[in-house]
Amino acid sequence: MMKRKEQWNRWVVTAAALCCLGIIHFSLDRAVFAGVGNDDFDHQSGKLYRAYDAVPEPYLAADSGDRNLAGFYELRQYPGSPPRIPHAADITFSGNARDCLACHAKGGYSAEFAKYIPVTPHPENSLCYQCHVQKVTDERFVQSTWQSITPPRLGLSFLASSPPSIPHSLQLRENCIACHTGPAAVVEIRVSHASRGNCRQCHVPTVQQEAFSEFRRK
Amino acid sequence: MKGYHSVQALYGEDRLTKAKIRKNGEMVEVPIAEALDLVASKLKETRDKHGKDSVAIYGSGQWTIPDGYVASKLFKGCLGTNNVEANARLCMASAVTGFMTSFGIDEPMGCYEDIDNADVFITWGNNMAEMHPVLFSRMTANRKRRTGVRIIDFATRSTRTSQAADKSILFKPQTDLAVANAICHEIIGNGWVNSNFVNEHVSFHKGKTNIGYGIEDNFAFTDKDEAISFEDYKLFLADYTPEKVEKISGVSAKDIKYMASLYGDPAVKVTSFWCMGMNQHTRGTWINNLVYNIHLLVGKISTPGNSPFSLTGQPSACGTVREVGTLTHALPHGVVMNEQDRKHAAEIWDVPVENIDPKPTYHTVEMFRALDRGDIKFMWIQVTNPMVTMPNLKRYRNGALKDDRFVVVSDVYPTPTTDVADVILPAAMWIEQEGLFGNSERRTQHFGQILTPPGEAMSDTWQIIEVARRLGFEKQFPWGQDNYIEKIWEEYRRFHSGPKHEMAPYKVLRERSGVQWPFVNGKETRWRFNPKHDPACSNGKDFHFYGKKDNRAWIWARPYEPAAEFPDNQYPFWLNTGRVIEHWHTGSMTRRIPVLHNAMPASYVELNPEDAIELGVVNGEKVKIISRRGEITMPAQINGRGVPPRGMVFVPFFDESYLINELTLDAFCPISKQPDYKKCAVRLEKA
């Protein structure tokens, strides 16, 4: 069990290469105080309700088939890491970073890419380049033996008829609507019932950090 | 969340499948017939030696309707004691007395369809996002689909519901009384009173004041109503200007006026929702009255979307406890104090009318006090876990453990309550038996048996029947195991015949997914007191509040009075307790569901972030909470799903490893006798 925990810590430390310091600090806290769980971010569920209210129902239900899970993970070093920027962007760090949000705050159709635009679950964080990077070369400095962890299995329901649990941390991803509904959503993780807005009424966050221990009376 | 996974609750490894009895201090397995023999002989022996009121049964809002019915028939009808109570006393009693005092008849006038019709929802101390998630989603879906729908959360702590709401208004504990009066003050001051409605359908009343808190044993209180005029009522409200109430409640006068303007706008349909925040309140009956006052002044009641709606916390708190009347004063129809009601019951039950005692005995808190004192020596507990849920828990656990007390517990898993038992009877779970239950909107539903109970487990109804027969009441409990549920339902239904409460026949309930009573000439009633929907209306007017003798709904002048215990220099924090979405009450079932335990494995104490800094604790660090009754050390949660205001902590009560009720106070509403789990004083230490 301890071993798994160490892996988790290393996993978080690995994220240091890409994430801002404040976030790492918070993640370590979470790892240390396991048991308090996802609730650290729970007080931000207001975002979910506001997004649900703001997105028109037809858009929630629309499906373009533009994106699949393979492409989704291709943009990420490991599940949960910020995706790289898959298109040309002017990275100047000179105050125009908000331009990302012109498209990624609300989504919609992009004539330039002939695709629907994915929506960020955290539009309030406007310094996008702080975490999201571009790819300007395919070459490596030296080869790496890095292996990613296995992505969560799909359809992690506990019973045939029960809703899948939430297999990822909610940090920066409290807003389910952004990624799981709408025409830009990855087809494998689109919900079949986009018009329902209180997601965590049925879907339980279960980030598996250690082996499940059954409840036993002391 | 819980519903989807509930079936897994059947499969906990420690499921009780055999009966156990205490022999020389050890619990040993015995055949269930032997355990039932012992229950019957011990009950008889105790009754013979110490009198009929030395035995008691304590049930639950999770009792099926047949469970509660046979319990009442055996104890009130056959054994002649009114020692019948249920945990709904801890949960719904103030709602009942609220209805009885304002309308003279129990249970909501509206139905869930109100959600599809209202423009404004006001949640009064009610975290619906976690506690009534399905209804809550119906509300947010309506806000999304229709224009102009608003949700206002009026609460003492910020919750998921506050986050979903268009506006969150926080008030200081107990001051909802003052704010409700201030809203009425504004409604009258701005000329928003619906005079036609008030003149036709409302009368004004006042009751006693400074009514106490029931902290002492044998506390007694009877309210006395006095008719007053509208002018008297206006005079009473003069103390409750928004500006004055702002000082008491911490709610700005502007916000009070805003809420009043929503209730007052004739173009806006308003539904108020509440549950434990208003019911678990030492002035629970009063605050129920006061919210009805608001709706009555503006005539927003009994029409689609205009609804003061008291929600229920358990599946059959309405069906079993309120309708069957498994409370000390009640009968399946009416009350023990009324001779007609006693005669009616005796006739249906086939018992001498003298059997039914006209004097109520103990409400729940007093019943456990009587067990501690020794006035009650035998108690049978079914489908509930009082050794986690009783306030001021230590006293009642020590009482139950005393040498000559005999405690029988029927349950499905070991709990802190089976820990104090002398006999444990293994019970069938919901789909291992046939049964019926009744929900918040007067809907009765039938469920069939799908599985066979494991081992020797049997339904709670059948356990009572077995004991009743051993006590010589074969005549009153003659049914066979193949159709006893149908027979019991049809017998029980006779109590409710008539247009005010007619119940659907067994056959109809089997065919439909629930039927709302009154069910008259094949038609369900969605809005009571409204002649367009309710067949019991007979006055030829636009509404008929037939519950009260004057055919009017009653507005009550009820003042603000402080809580039984409040923060001071020694104990500077409020302690508030409640539930979480993952678990039912004490988690005896949901903690055995892997996905739910995994998501919410242990309880915690919510702190305000600034209080946490002052105390020097970060998320997950241990905090010691100390009240005048006990102390507990548990991990802190800061900026979790709920955030209390400064000076308050909140603890979920589901976790038997952290018995927060050892700290709570057993003060209750003198009218409803329902304890207040939301307010007592504590101090904190970094552990």
Side-chain angles (χ1 to χ4, degrees):
Chain A
M1 212 179 277
M2 270 319 289
K3 202 168 172 200
R4 277 174 190 252
K5 233 179 202 166
E6 278 165 24
Q7 277 172 358
W8 165 250
N9 284 340
R10 212 178 305 138
W11 189 88
V12 173
V13 173
T14 314
L18 299 169
C19 294
C20 83
L21 279 166
I23 291 168
I24 300 159
H25 179 71
F26 220 65
S27 302
L28 283 171
D29 275 358
R30 278 171 38 68
V32 173
F33 302 115
V36 175
N38 279 288
D39 292 331
D40 312 40
F41 305 104
D42 213 359
H43 70 292
Q44 297 191 32
S45 65
K47 279 163 76 176
L48 166 59
Y49 298 116
R50 285 193 295 278
Y52 170 63
D53 262 351
V55 185
E57 233 174 315
Y59 196 84
L60 284 175
D63 185 5
S64 70
D66 278 349
R67 284 178 185 76
N68 62 29
L69 205 56
F72 176 89
Y73 283 124
E74 201 181 283
L75 295 177
R76 285 156 173 82
Q77 189 165 13
Y78 55 86
S81 74
R84 65 178 171 79
I85 302 164
H87 55 73
D90 175 22
I91 299 193
T92 61
F93 292 96
S94 61
N96 66 349
R98 284 195 68 84
D99 290 353
C100 306
L101 290 170
C103 295
H104 290 289
K106 285 188 174 164
Y109 186 73
S110 160
E112 186 186 347
F113 295 101
K115 271 183 177 176
Y116 282 91
I117 305 161
V119 181
T120 174
H122 44 256
E124 68 284 359
N125 295 3
S126 56
L127 295 173
C128 312
Y129 299 146
Q130 180 179 322
C131 298
H132 299 276
V133 297
Q134 259 188 319
K135 186 180 190 180
V136 293
T137 174
D138 275 330
E139 283 172 25
R140 300 205 169 168
F141 182 55
V142 289
Q143 289 304 313
S144 162
T145 56
W146 159 266
Q147 279 188 314
S148 177
I149 55 167
T150 318
R153 196 160 54 79
L154 288 173
L156 275 169
S157 298
F158 280 73
L159 297 168
S161 61
S162 73
S165 60
I166 303 169
H168 59 74
S169 148
L170 295 175
Q171 182 187 15
L172 295 172
R173 289 181 287 173
E174 306 91 348
N175 176 13
C176 320
I177 301 291
C179 303
H180 294 281
T181 69
V186 166
V187 288
E188 291 93 334
I189 61 168
R190 275 188 87 248
V191 294
S192 58
H193 45 270
S195 63
R196 307 289 297 273
N198 186 21
C199 312
R200 274 180 267 160
Q201 162 191 334
C202 298
H203 300 278
V204 192
T206 46
V207 186
Q208 210 75 21
Q209 292 174 18
E210 46 188 80
F212 172 68
S213 60
E214 280 170 9
F215 167 68
R216 282 195 193 282
R217 299 195 70 215
K218 280 167 193 155
Chain B
M1 184 182 285
K2 295 182 288 294
Y4 275 117
H5 299 99
S6 59
V7 68
Q8 287 184 303
L10 295 162
Y11 300 101
E13 225 174 53
D14 53 348
R15 180 74 196 268
L16 296 170
T17 59
K18 294 228 168 78
K20 290 179 186 171
I21 62 176
R22 197 175 291 278
K23 277 186 185 163
N24 304 321
E26 291 283 305
M27 293 308 285
V28 294
E29 282 183 4
V30 293
I32 194 163
E34 188 185 326
L36 291 164
D37 287 344
L38 178 65
V39 172
S41 65
K42 199 73 198 178
L43 196 160
K44 188 167 182 306
E45 181 194 316
T46 311
R47 192 168 176 268
D48 290 347
K49 204 162 147 196
H50 302 286
K52 66 187 177 68
D53 289 334
S54 64
V55 301
I57 189 160
Y58 181 62
S60 149
Q62 286 155 71
W63 252 350
T64 66
I65 292 172
D67 290 343
Y69 182 74
V70 294
S72 179
K73 186 173 182 179
L74 174 61
F75 279 76
K76 297 200 170 201
C78 301
L79 299 171
T81 176
N82 288 322
N83 285 348
V84 178
E85 275 283 303
N87 69 1
R89 177 74 75 179
L90 313 178
C91 145
M92 298 311 307
S94 301
V96 178
T97 48
F99 277 111
M100 296 310 288
T101 46
S102 290
F103 302 100
I105 186 166
D106 190 21
E107 297 198 27
M109 53 290 299
C111 61
Y112 296 155
E113 251 182 84
D114 285 319
I115 301 171
D116 306 328
N117 290 284
D119 303 308
V120 167
F121 297 92
I122 301 186
T123 50
W124 288 74
N126 182 15
N127 181 10
M128 278 180 83
E130 288 196 75
M131 308 328 156
H132 293 89
V134 179
L135 297 180
F136 182 75
S137 285
R138 190 159 166 181
M139 203 159 90
T140 52
N142 265 283
R143 179 172 64 180
K144 181 163 183 58
R145 286 186 199 128
R146 296 191 279 124
T147 49
V149 175
R150 276 166 292 175
I151 301 170
I152 317 298
D153 182 49
F154 182 63
T156 59
R157 133 184 187 264
S158 175
T159 64
R160 271 193 192 172
T161 308
S162 323
Q163 292 183 44
D166 297 87
K167 190 170 172 62
S168 153
I169 300 172
L170 292 180
F171 64 93
K172 291 182 187 154
Q174 191 84 356
T175 65
D176 43 357
L177 298 159
V179 175
N181 277 330
I183 289 172
C184 292
H185 181 277
E186 276 299 289
I187 287 171
I188 294 173
N190 288 297
W192 294 328
V193 173
N194 182 338
S195 307
N196 286 341
F197 180 91
V198 170
N199 292 339
E200 280 291 329
H201 303 297
V202 172
S203 56
F204 294 86
H205 303 262
K206 70 174 185 184
K208 290 184 185 167
T209 54
N210 291 316
I211 60 178
Y213 301 97
I215 297 165
E216 61 280 14
D217 278 35
N218 300 309
F219 171 88
F221 174 79
T222 314
D223 205 9
K224 192 171 169 295
D225 85 86
E226 200 180 308
I228 57 171
S229 67
F230 184 48
E231 289 307 312
D232 296 333
Y233 177 64
K234 266 165 67 176
L235 211 60
F236 157 79
L237 287 178
D239 281 343
Y240 297 95
T241 65
E243 290 71 21
K244 280 186 192 166
V245 170
E246 173 175 333
K247 293 201 183 88
I248 311 170
S249 65
V251 181
S252 70
K254 194 172 149 232
D255 282 346
I256 294 171
K257 288 176 182 173
Y258 173 67
M259 284 171 59
S261 72
L262 295 172
Y263 282 109
D265 182 346
V268 170
K269 285 183 257 177
V270 188
T271 289
S272 305
F273 280 119
W274 67 91
C275 197
M276 290 308 114
M278 270 172 48
N279 293 341
Q280 291 178 340
H281 194 308
T282 49
R283 295 292 178 267
T285 310
W286 288 10
I287 185 63
N288 273 264
N289 293 148
L290 293 178
V291 175
Y292 294 130
N293 288 357
I294 301 173
H295 281 265
L296 290 169
L297 279 178
V298 295
K300 292 187 182 180
I301 194 164
S302 291
T303 47
N306 281 321
S307 195
F309 207 120
S310 159
L311 293 166
T312 337
Q314 299 188 77
S316 200
C318 283
T320 303
V321 180
R322 292 160 73 166
E323 291 159 27
V324 176
T326 54
L327 297 168
T328 183
H329 66 283
L331 286 167
H333 181 83
V335 291
V336 295
M337 297 81 90
N338 181 310
E339 197 187 346
Q340 271 318 105
D341 294 340
R342 289 200 303 277
K343 278 186 179 156
H344 188 206
E347 190 199 318
I348 294 174
W349 282 345
D350 194 11
V351 296
V353 67
E354 304 75 46
N355 269 21
I356 303 173
D357 195 320
K359 241 180 93 102
T361 50
Y362 309 112
H363 56 84
T364 295
V365 171
E366 199 58 34
M367 187 185 259
F368 280 90
R369 286 176 183 168
L371 183 70
D372 177 43
R373 291 193 301 262
D375 298 338
I376 289 176
K377 297 211 187 285
F378 172 102
M379 188 187 280
W380 189 351
I381 298 167
Q382 285 194 321
V383 212
T384 185
N385 194 2
M387 293 303 130
V388 177
T389 56
M390 285 302 291
N392 191 14
L393 181 59
K394 277 185 194 166
R395 175 179 178 191
Y396 303 119
R397 188 174 52 230
N398 292 339
L401 284 168
K402 282 181 182 167
D403 266 350
D404 62 341
R405 311 293 189 273
F406 196 81
V407 179
V408 181
V409 178
S410 307
D411 213 329
V412 295
Y413 287 112
T415 65
T417 305
T418 60
D419 288 349
V420 305
D422 297 283
V423 175
I424 299 173
L425 297 172
M429 286 178 86
W430 78 109
I431 47 177
E432 295 165 352
Q433 60 184 310
E434 184 189 2
L436 298 118
F437 69 102
N439 78 0
S440 282
E441 57 162 6
R442 295 172 281 105
R443 184 181 297 278
T444 314
Q445 299 177 70
H446 171 271
F447 58 94
Q449 179 176 351
I450 301 172
L451 300 168
T452 314
E456 291 206 285
M458 62 172 68
S459 75
D460 297 273
T461 305
W462 198 256
Q463 291 175 8
I464 293 174
I465 293 172
E466 287 280 349
V467 169
R469 288 178 181 171
R470 282 165 167 78
L471 292 167
F473 302 111
E474 292 90 348
K475 196 173 76 163
Q476 285 80 12
F477 297 87
W479 316 293
Q481 241 176 327
D482 52 333
N483 65 353
Y484 69 109
I485 298 298
E486 177 179 359
K487 296 281 183 200
I488 289 170
W489 176 258
E490 290 301 336
E491 180 181 308
Y492 162 59
R493 207 163 72 82
R494 290 170 59 196
F495 276 95
H496 291 311
S497 67
K500 290 181 188 174
H501 212 303
E502 185 81 38
M503 294 280 191
Y506 177 80
K507 253 182 74 181
V508 173
L509 286 167
R510 281 208 70 137
E511 283 161 9
R512 300 194 195 176
S513 58
V515 174
Q516 276 179 292
W517 61 264
F519 181 75
V520 181
N521 300 324
K523 260 186 77 183
E524 300 178 37
T525 302
R526 288 181 300 167
W527 286 278
R528 280 206 291 180
F529 311 136
N530 179 335
K532 286 183 204 145
H533 301 276
D534 183 349
C537 293
S538 60
N539 62 353
K541 296 181 182 173
D542 51 350
F543 292 96
H544 185 190
F545 294 95
Y546 48 74
K548 288 284 192 189
K549 284 211 175 88
D550 64 357
N551 287 298
R552 286 166 181 265
W554 288 19
I555 281 182
W556 285 88
R558 303 286 203 191
Y560 162 75
E561 285 180 7
E565 188 178 89
F566 40 83
D568 54 21
N569 289 339
Q570 221 187 339
Y571 296 93
F573 283 83
W574 287 108
L575 168 65
N576 182 2
T577 69
R579 295 174 283 173
V580 292
I581 188 172
E582 289 85 356
H583 293 297
W584 280 315
H585 303 131
T586 62
S588 53
M589 291 188 287
T590 45
R591 297 189 88 192
R592 287 168 172 89
I593 296 173
V595 60
L596 299 178
H597 175 61
N598 211 177
M600 182 57 76
S603 186
Y604 49 80
V605 52
E606 278 178 6
L607 298 178
N608 179 277
E610 289 175 53
D611 287 333
I613 290 171
E614 233 164 62
L615 198 63
V617 292
V618 300
N619 226 350
E621 281 189 316
K622 292 282 173 76
V623 177
K624 190 187 220 179
I625 315 167
I626 305 146
S627 83
R628 289 182 177 87
R629 293 152 295 279
E631 59 180 59
I632 193 168
T633 300
M634 55 200 310
Q637 191 187 82
I638 300 148
N639 279 331
R641 68 180 60 166
V643 181
R646 288 211 73 173
M648 180 195 286
V649 296
F650 174 86
V651 178
F653 70 84
F654 70 86
D655 190 342
E656 63 178 69
S657 307
Y658 296 110
L659 291 170
I660 191 63
N661 277 318
E662 291 188 348
L663 278 69
T664 52
L665 178 66
D666 53 352
F668 51 78
C669 166
I671 303 174
S672 72
K673 327 291 192 231
Q674 174 167 357
D676 188 334
Y677 292 88
K678 307 290 188 188
K679 302 171 207 87
C680 72
V682 296
R683 71 168 188 271
L684 307 179
E685 286 172 11
K686 187 175 174 171

